[in-house]
């Protein structure tokens, strides 16, 4: 390969991975062409990109970037996967796909997270972590939990008070029907003597 071609490939790899901080490296050697196209399509549907690179050229293109450690001690060709919401989601999706029989010849070789190199075993471990969405869901549940309990505690005494008021009102209604409740009527003297009657 001429120096000119190497420079073209290096520039292309650098431009494709510009701004990428986390990635997973997979081995696609032995994958049939049709399955390779299908794998790319499935990854794209999950917002994940795949780029097959020669490791020596990729290491040269990504020197000084957060992805550089991914190629330390790695030889031959490999495919870089990047995208998804975060490194956890990326590791989950890639790991799940590679566990299917269709892609049994594909395997994870490692990756990089926050500028640190990951081994294949560490990529599998990261795939078991809760994703960003799952972490947010857990956090929201922890925040809303005490609030829900407080609302229930406040509603309890309030409901009991409302029940007591309702019972009191019913009691007044019953006593009024028998002449002992409110309102009551009283008269001063007899009507014949000019007495008056009042409501209280």
């Amino acid at each position: 390969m001429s120096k000119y071609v190497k420079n073209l490939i290096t520039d292309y790899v650098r431009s494709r991975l510009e701004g990428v901080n986390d990635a997973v490296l997979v081995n696609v050697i032995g994958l049939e062409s049709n399955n390779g196209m299908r794998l790319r399509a499935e990854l794209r549907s999950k917002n994940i990109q795949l780029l097959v690179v020669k490791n020596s050229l990729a290491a040269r293109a990504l020197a000084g970037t957060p992805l550089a450690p991914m190629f330390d001690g790695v030889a031959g060709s490999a495919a870089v996967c990047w995208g998804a919401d975060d490194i956890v989601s990326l590791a989950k999706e890639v790991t799940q796909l590679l566990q299917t029989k269709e892609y049994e010849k594909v395997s994870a070789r490692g990756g990089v997270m926050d500028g640190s190199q990951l081994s294949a075993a560490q990529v599998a471990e990261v795939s078991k972590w809760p994703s960003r969405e799952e972490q947010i869901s857990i956090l929201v549940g922890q925040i809303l939990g005490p609030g829900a309990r407080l609302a229930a505690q406040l509603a309890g005494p309030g409901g009991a008070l409302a029940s007591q008021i309702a019972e009191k009102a019913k009691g007044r209604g019953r006593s009024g029907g028998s002449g002992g409740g409110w309102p009551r009527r009283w008269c001063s003297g007899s009507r014949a003597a000019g007495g008056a009657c009042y409501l209280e």
Side-chain angles (χ1 to χ4, degrees):
M1 184 183 298
S2 68
K3 184 177 180 180
Y4 175 74
V5 173
K6 288 182 179 180
N7 288 338
L8 286 179
I9 296 174
T10 299
D11 291 342
Y12 174 73
V13 172
R14 185 183 296 117
S15 64
R16 285 293 306 275
L17 296 172
E18 184 177 4
V20 177
N21 297 317
D22 305 310
V24 172
L25 200 63
V26 299
N27 178 23
V28 294
I29 296 176
L31 184 66
E32 295 180 1
S33 178
N34 289 339
N35 286 345
M37 294 178 62
R38 193 174 295 110
L39 176 62
R40 289 174 183 272
E42 289 195 47
L43 289 173
R44 278 197 302 270
S45 69
K46 302 176 185 297
N47 194 31
I48 298 173
Q49 305 297 317
L50 182 146
L51 176 65
V52 178
V53 296
K54 186 175 181 180
N55 290 339
S56 59
L57 293 179
R60 176 184 173 187
L62 300 173
T65 72
L67 298 182
M70 180 168 55
F71 299 97
D72 290 346
V74 177
S77 297
V80 181
C81 296
W82 74 96
D85 293 332
D86 51 36
I87 182 61
V88 178
S89 300
L90 174 62
K92 281 181 185 292
E93 297 293 351
V94 171
T95 300
Q96 289 175 0
L97 275 177
L98 300 190
Q99 289 174 346
T100 62
K101 186 177 180 180
E102 188 175 7
Y103 306 119
E104 59 186 359
K105 293 184 178 180
V106 182
S107 59
R109 297 186 64 178
V112 64
M113 178 178 68
D114 295 332
S116 298
Q117 187 180 33
L118 298 176
S119 65
Q122 288 173 324
V123 170
E125 185 63 29
V126 170
S127 70
K128 300 174 184 178
W129 294 358
S131 65
R132 180 174 179 274
E133 290 185 356
E134 291 169 341
Q135 291 174 353
I136 292 175
S137 177
I138 293 171
L139 180 60
V140 170
Q142 292 173 344
I143 293 174
L144 294 182
R149 288 195 296 271
L150 177 60
Q153 291 169 356
L154 292 175
L161 179 59
S163 177
Q164 292 172 1
I165 293 174
E167 288 297 323
K168 197 73 174 178
K170 290 179 181 178
R172 284 183 173 180
R174 288 193 296 269
S175 60
S178 61
W182 183 90
R184 295 194 299 270
R185 187 179 68 171
W186 61 276
C187 299
S188 60
S190 64
R191 291 185 179 180
C197 292
Y198 302 91
L199 295 177
E200 67 172 6

